[in-house]
Amino acid sequence: MLSLARDLLPTKSHFPTVSIYLLLISSFVCFVYLFVSVILVDTSKFSDVNLSSGTVHAPTNLGHIVFGIASNKNSWPKRKDYVKLWWKPEKMRGCVFLESLPEDVKSYDNNSISLPPLCISEDTSRFRYTYRNGLRSAIRVARVVSETVGLNHSNVRWFVFGDDDTVFFPENLVKTLSKYDHGLWYYIGSNSEIYEQNRAFGFEMAFGGGGFAISYPLAKVLAKVFDSCIERYPHLYGSDSRVSSCLAELGVGLTREPGFHQVDVRGDLFGLLTSHPLSPIVSLHHLGHLDPIFPNMTITDSIQHFFKAVAVDSQRVLQKTVCYDRWFFWTISVSWGYAVEVYGKHMLLPDTLPVQATFKQWQKGTLLAGAYTFNVRQPHHDPCQRPTIFFLDHLSSSSDGVIISHYKKSYANCSYDMSSPRKLEEIKVFSHKLELSDKQLQAPRRQCCDVLPSSAGKVMEIAIRECQEEELIHMHA
């Protein structure tokens, strides 16, 4: 390059003319450089840019994810309806792993268009399993990780693993993973809600029922060493413990994402759902051990009803917004797409955020009171002193793109006066579709809401919006 530059140097006799040419060429090169730079900066708004390496990627989508679902021939016929709730056959890749085909495989084939394909797990009898009273199928389930990688799908960025009763929220899963560089080694998931479960099995372990994600380059390496690693852990109970231990040997720790939910509780999940973290919901587990999340429905029907809101605005689902009615001095807590709670008194925002303990312990007699991994508050012992609850009824939209979610009152035998929120029959919530940017995903902020003037005495209307820069969420005098 230096010799080429020397060749271009002008002779004394032609210096003025050649200088002009060099000046023009230099100006042209500078112009092209600036033009290309502007284009790259502008297009970065529409592409994933890895700032550390400078590479530009198209946005992550469902086609970049391969799923590995652990099941068995006895549970699959009962639980396949859970998978059917979220599986999108035209957009998703992956497999459900069984030890052998179920007896009703013919009926499965007739309905397989809405389900992932079945894969038969490899033989694991060569591996030792020494956990007393445990299930050695944990080894087979653990190897779902390496066998899913072994499917050799192309153009993969993430491998995602879960159980046959894990319900994923696909668009939110994509959005959550998109904020990470899939070219790096990532192990992403979350813990149990129960302190004792984490103490026993590991705070640095992603619980498998809640689901977890492993980036492509890490999964490829893990698959190569996994069998040799499994041999060192015959004493562990579960499959997720083996995955976590092998990743620890590779020097990789857990990246926690609170949208993954193991749900190690039983009964009424209302308290957990109405106090969701400021991040998109990614998964729910153990639905068969829970009450239906909507009244007067079956478990499956209630999740299908919930997915109506997910289909309209998945990123806003369960996001908690709190506002205040100045006239009646009410506190209104909106968990979008699920429920609205109206307290007949003034409550400070921090007092509304802890999880209401509406659920029961996973195992009776083994959990110390309050030993959860989050703050809890007990519902008032008098049901008539609790907030009035309105559950999602249906959704509609206006011509200008405003989403209207309608919530109907869940009735209770409590008397009220005209200043009581129990006089309300319906709440309408107005919002725009939530499109979280990478910055908002990494630094989330709760949105604000306003109680609107209503033309009907039994209907309350609320508008959700972004908070102003210095706006505080509190009761105004």
Side-chain angles (χ1 to χ4, degrees):
M1 191 71 184
L2 181 60
S3 62
L4 177 61
R6 286 173 178 168
D7 292 339
L8 290 175
L9 286 174
T11 62
K12 289 183 179 180
S13 58
H14 297 91
F15 184 81
T17 305
V18 177
S19 295
I20 293 174
Y21 288 143
L22 285 175
L23 180 61
L24 291 173
I25 292 173
S26 299
S27 300
F28 178 76
V29 170
C30 290
F31 173 79
V32 171
Y33 175 80
L34 290 172
F35 180 75
V36 172
S37 299
V38 169
I39 290 177
L40 288 176
V41 170
D42 189 56
T43 56
S44 68
K45 291 185 284 187
F46 307 101
S47 303
D48 288 346
V49 180
N50 177 2
L51 297 178
S52 60
S53 63
T55 56
V56 179
H57 302 290
T60 297
N61 58 54
L62 282 174
H64 294 125
I65 299 174
V66 173
F67 291 85
I69 307 301
S71 185
N72 62 73
K73 66 177 182 179
N74 293 325
S75 70
W76 178 242
K78 305 171 186 176
R79 293 181 172 178
K80 62 185 179 183
D81 285 341
Y82 291 136
V83 178
K84 194 180 297 184
L85 288 169
W86 59 269
W87 184 259
K88 301 177 183 293
E90 71 282 1
K91 296 181 179 180
M92 293 180 174
R93 298 180 291 175
C95 228
V96 174
F97 285 85
L98 311 174
E99 78 281 24
S100 61
L101 291 177
E103 295 180 358
D104 67 339
V105 66
K106 291 184 178 180
S107 67
Y108 171 83
D109 288 341
N110 293 334
N111 298 283
S112 62
I113 189 171
S114 57
L115 290 165
L118 297 180
C119 292
I120 304 303
S121 300
E122 297 175 5
D123 178 51
T124 59
S125 59
R126 68 186 185 277
F127 297 101
R128 291 187 305 133
Y129 184 82
T130 60
Y131 191 95
R132 186 176 180 181
N133 298 325
L135 300 173
R136 68 167 290 112
S137 59
I139 298 174
R140 179 186 70 83
V141 172
R143 292 190 79 255
V144 166
V145 172
S146 55
E147 292 181 23
T148 301
V149 176
L151 296 175
N152 291 321
H153 286 290
S154 60
N155 195 25
V156 180
R157 295 184 181 181
W158 298 94
F159 292 94
V160 173
F161 304 96
D163 291 348
D164 53 9
D165 61 341
T166 304
V167 171
F168 286 105
F169 297 81
E171 287 75 17
N172 291 353
L173 173 65
V174 168
K175 197 69 180 180
T176 298
L177 295 179
S178 68
K179 69 180 181 180
Y180 297 99
D181 182 354
H182 55 271
L184 303 179
W185 284 16
Y186 274 111
Y187 166 46
I188 301 173
S190 191
N191 303 124
S192 171
E193 296 80 7
I194 308 300
Y195 171 83
E196 186 66 20
Q197 291 280 88
N198 295 322
R199 188 195 65 79
F201 298 111
F203 286 90
E204 293 299 316
M205 181 187 84
F207 277 62
F212 58 90
I214 302 178
S215 59
Y216 176 82
L218 175 57
K220 293 292 285 186
V221 173
L222 177 63
K224 292 179 181 178
V225 302
F226 201 45
D227 283 355
S228 65
C229 181
I230 286 179
E231 293 175 351
R232 286 186 286 281
Y233 297 98
H235 61 286
L236 296 180
Y237 170 72
S239 58
D240 38 17
S241 297
R242 287 166 169 78
V243 174
S244 176
S245 298
C246 293
L247 287 169
E249 290 191 359
L250 285 172
V252 178
L254 174 64
T255 298
R256 289 179 178 81
E257 273 292 340
F260 291 86
H261 295 285
Q262 171 71 11
V263 194
D264 279 340
V265 297
R266 299 177 188 270
D268 187 358
L269 199 60
F270 180 86
L272 272 173
L273 295 180
T274 52
S275 294
H276 196 271
L278 286 176
S279 56
I281 180 173
V282 174
S283 68
L284 288 174
H285 183 225
H286 281 151
L287 294 176
H289 299 278
L290 299 167
D291 299 336
I293 64 173
F294 289 101
N296 304 317
M297 293 186 185
T298 66
I299 295 174
T300 302
D301 288 344
S302 69
I303 299 298
Q304 287 176 334
H305 184 61
F306 186 51
F307 264 83
K308 294 176 183 177
V310 174
V312 172
D313 194 351
S314 65
Q315 294 175 47
R316 190 182 292 280
V317 163
L318 293 186
Q319 289 302 293
K320 189 183 186 80
T321 307
V322 177
C323 51
Y324 298 91
D325 183 283
R326 302 188 188 188
W327 183 262
F328 291 111
F329 219 53
W330 296 341
T331 302
I332 301 100
S333 176
V334 179
S335 299
W336 194 91
Y338 178 51
V340 178
E341 301 168 88
V342 183
Y343 296 84
K345 60 182 178 179
H346 173 205
M347 289 187 65
L348 295 170
L349 176 66
D351 295 335
T352 70
L353 300 182
V355 176
Q356 297 177 75
T358 60
F359 38 81
K360 301 175 183 177
Q361 302 173 9
W362 182 252
Q363 293 181 330
K364 293 182 179 180
T366 61
L367 180 65
L368 296 175
Y372 297 99
T373 56
F374 43 76
N375 293 326
V376 298
R377 57 188 171 103
Q378 296 297 327
H380 199 284
H381 62 86
D382 180 1
C384 293
Q385 297 298 317
R386 298 173 188 174
T388 306
I389 299 174
F390 301 77
F391 285 103
L392 177 71
D393 185 70
H394 66 280
L395 301 102
S396 58
S397 59
S398 63
S399 57
D400 56 356
V402 175
I403 299 169
I404 309 170
S405 49
H406 303 252
Y407 304 80
K408 293 293 182 67
K409 183 169 65 176
S410 180
Y411 289 93
N413 293 324
C414 296
S415 60
Y416 62 85
D417 55 36
M418 290 308 295
S419 64
S420 168
R422 298 186 187 281
K423 70 177 183 179
L424 298 173
E425 298 291 335
E426 180 182 2
I427 294 179
K428 296 180 182 180
V429 178
F430 300 83
S431 61
H432 287 90
K433 187 169 184 178
L434 185 61
E435 296 286 355
L436 295 171
S437 66
D438 290 342
K439 290 182 179 180
Q440 290 170 320
L441 286 167
Q442 295 173 14
R445 184 189 182 191
R446 194 178 309 280
Q447 293 204 330
C448 290
C449 60
D450 302 303
V451 178
L452 304 177
S454 178
S455 58
K458 295 186 177 182
V459 178
M460 174 182 281
E461 296 183 345
I462 294 171
I464 299 178
R465 56 175 174 79
E466 289 188 9
C467 298
Q468 299 176 14
E469 184 173 356
E470 298 180 5
E471 185 174 3
L472 301 173
I473 302 175
H474 68 102
M475 173 70 80
H476 297 274

